[in-house]
Amino acid sequence: MSGAGGAGGASGDVRSRARTRALVTGIGVAAPNGLGTQAWWSAVLEGRSGIASITRFDASGYPVRIAGEIRGFVDEDHIPSRLLPSTDRVTRLSLVAAKEALEDSGADPAALPGHRAGVITASSAGGTEFGQRGLEALWGKGARYVSAYQSFAWFHAAGTAEISIRHTLRGPASAMVSEQAGGIDTLARARREIRKGVGLMVTGGVDSALCPWGWAAHLADGRLSTDPDPARAYRPFDAKARGHVVGEGGALLVLEDAAAATARGVGGYAVVAGCAATFDGEPGQERLKEAAELALADARVRPDQVDVVFADGAGERAADRAEAQALAALFGPRGVPVTAPKSMTGRLGAGGSSLDLAAAALALRDKVVPPTTGTRRVAADCPLDLVRGAARELPGLRTVLVLARGRGGFNSAAVLRAPDA
C-alpha cells in the first residue's frame, strides 16, 4: 500500500510540474539599433535599422564591409574596471543585458532560498575578439605576453559564469551552442528548470564576432550578402535576396514561476507555452515545419490560433523558400502575418532568436507587429503575408510562434502567449 501511495504522489508531482507556467518577467537588450530594451523597441517599431559600415576594425580590404554594430557602447561605462582585462566584448554585452533584465523583472534572486536562481546562455562564437588578441600577442611578442585570462575568457560559457557570479545565481548554470537556434534552446531548458522548482532563470543569447578573425570565419561560410547598400543587403523573402548581414548583440530574459510572480504583483510579458527542436537529416530534409508543429502541440495551440510568426528569415533564396513553404503548409498561403525584424540588426548568431523572443513578448504586450525592412518585393515562391513598411497593429494578438535555424541543421520553435491567454 505504501508503494502505491508513493507512486501516486510522484505522478501528482509530475503533473503539477507540467502545469507550472514559465513567465517572462524581465527583458534586457543590446542590439545594433538600440542599447536597452526601450531604445531598441522604439527603433524596431519605427523601422530604424542598425546596419551600417563597419567601424570596429578596418574592413576596407574585405568583400563585405557592413554589419549590425552596437555603436556608442563604451565598455568602461558599463563594466567594473576589474573585469575589463578578463572579459570579451560578448561577455560585457551579456552582463549589461542581464542587469537590465533582472532590474526590469523586479525580482531579487538573493531572496530565493538555496539554489533556486540560475542562468543559461547561448553563444555561437564565444569570445572571438579576446582570442584574436591572444593570437596577436603570441605571434607578435611571444607566449609570455598572452593573457592568463585566455584560458577562459574566450569560452562559450564565460557569459554564464560572469552573470552567475555578479548576481549570485547559484542554481542551474550552463551554456548552449546551436548557432541561431541557441536563444530558443536556452529558453526551453530554462522552462524545464522552472518546472523542476527553480524560482528564477536568466536565459537567452548574445554574440559578437566583429573582428578580423571573426570576419574571416563569416566570409568563409559563403552566405554573406555582398551588396554594399545597408538598406538592401539583407532582405528576407525578397525575390532578389542575396544573403544575410552579420550583427552583434542579443537579449536576455528573466523567466519565473508564473504563480510566484503573480503573488508579488508582477503580470509579466508572456508565458512560454511551447518549445521544440529538431535536427535536419540528409540534405533536403529540412525539419523546421516539424519543430513548429511540435512546439504548437506542446503549447496545445492549433495553427489557426497563431496570430503572428517571427520567422528565421535567412535572406538566401533556397532557405527563404523552404521556410515560406513550411509556413504555407502549416497555416495556408498568406494565412498568418509573418515578420523578420532581424532585417534591422542583421543575424546575431545565438542572439538572433533571443532578440526575436524579446520582440514577440513586447508585441504581445503592445498588440503590434514590428515590420520587416529591406524586403522590397516578396518572392512569388514565398506565399507569405509579410509585414513590411510599417508596424501593424493587431488588437487581438495573443499567440506568437518564433522560429530559428542554426547552421549545421538546428531548428527550434517557441510559442509565447499573452499572460491571460
Side-chain angles (χ1 to χ4, degrees):
M1 294 294 291
S2 61
S11 176
D13 289 344
V14 171
R15 287 194 297 269
S16 177
R17 289 197 296 270
R19 288 194 296 267
T20 299
R21 298 199 311 162
L23 182 69
V24 177
T25 61
I27 299 175
V29 169
N33 55 346
L35 182 61
T37 302
Q38 186 54 52
W40 160 75
W41 185 236
S42 295
V44 167
L45 292 182
E46 294 171 10
R48 283 190 279 117
S49 175
I51 298 173
S53 297
I54 294 172
T55 64
R56 299 206 58 238
F57 65 94
D58 182 5
S60 59
Y62 295 90
V64 178
R65 296 182 289 277
I66 61 173
E69 285 186 12
I70 299 175
R71 298 169 184 266
F73 182 86
V74 179
D75 299 40
E76 292 80 359
D77 292 345
H78 303 278
I79 305 300
S81 58
R82 61 182 175 78
L83 290 180
L84 292 175
S86 63
T87 55
D88 180 82
R89 180 177 176 89
V90 68
T91 300
R92 297 168 188 175
L93 293 172
S94 298
L95 284 167
V96 169
K99 180 176 183 290
E100 182 187 18
L102 283 165
E103 290 177 348
D104 184 40
S105 74
D108 180 10
L112 293 172
H115 296 74
R116 294 192 59 231
V119 53
I120 299 175
T121 67
S123 172
S124 63
T128 304
E129 189 171 10
F130 199 101
Q132 176 183 300
R133 291 200 302 269
L135 289 174
E136 290 173 343
L138 175 64
W139 297 116
K141 298 180 180 179
R144 70 191 203 124
Y145 289 93
V146 177
S147 169
Y149 299 120
Q150 187 67 53
S151 61
F152 65 81
W154 65 272
F155 194 47
H156 297 78
T160 291
E162 295 292 354
I163 293 168
S164 174
I165 293 169
R166 188 170 188 181
H167 297 287
T168 320
L169 306 176
R170 297 191 177 95
S174 61
M176 302 189 71
V177 183
S178 50
E179 219 253 339
Q180 295 280 335
I184 293 178
D185 291 342
T186 63
L187 185 78
R189 182 169 292 185
R191 183 179 67 150
R192 287 199 294 272
E193 298 296 345
I194 295 294
R195 286 180 166 180
K196 291 177 183 177
V198 175
L200 178 150
M201 292 295 298
V202 176
T203 185
V206 177
D207 257 317
S208 178
L210 299 186
C211 62
W213 190 19
W215 208 239
H218 286 304
L219 291 170
D221 180 64
R223 303 185 195 186
L224 290 190
S225 171
T226 56
D227 191 322
D229 184 352
R232 299 188 309 170
Y234 181 29
R235 32 185 162 174
F237 305 109
D238 195 292
K240 295 184 178 180
R242 300 181 181 180
H244 69 274
V245 172
V246 170
E248 64 175 347
L252 292 176
L253 312 176
V254 171
L255 218 58
E256 296 185 66
D257 181 314
T262 301
R264 63 184 181 87
V266 175
Y269 293 96
V271 170
V272 182
C275 295
T278 60
F279 191 78
D280 293 340
E282 297 296 324
Q285 295 181 355
E286 291 91 355
R287 299 177 63 199
L288 180 65
K289 177 174 175 284
E290 184 181 350
E293 291 171 331
L294 290 170
L296 290 173
D298 183 34
R300 299 183 181 181
V301 167
R302 301 186 311 271
D304 65 303
Q305 292 177 299
V306 174
D307 298 307
V308 65
V309 175
F310 281 71
D312 176 68
E316 190 271 325
R317 288 294 297 117
D320 282 349
R321 180 168 55 249
E323 182 175 20
Q325 292 178 355
L327 292 174
L330 190 57
F331 300 103
R334 300 174 183 83
V336 64
V338 175
T339 188
K342 59 171 64 72
S343 54
M344 294 175 245
T345 63
R347 293 178 72 80
L348 310 182
S353 53
S354 294
L355 201 61
D356 278 347
L357 289 168
L362 292 167
L364 285 167
R365 182 194 69 179
D366 296 344
K367 310 302 180 188
V368 62
V369 180
T372 304
T373 62
T375 304
R376 300 294 190 269
R377 181 169 64 89
V378 179
D381 56 7
C382 294
L384 301 176
D385 175 16
L386 192 67
V387 178
R388 294 182 292 148
R392 182 185 300 181
E393 293 186 4
L394 284 182
L397 179 55
R398 294 168 68 79
T399 304
V400 180
L401 173 66
V402 182
L403 301 177
R405 291 174 293 190
R407 285 175 293 184
F410 299 99
N411 306 293
S412 293
V415 177
L416 299 188
R417 305 202 78 190
D420 61 348

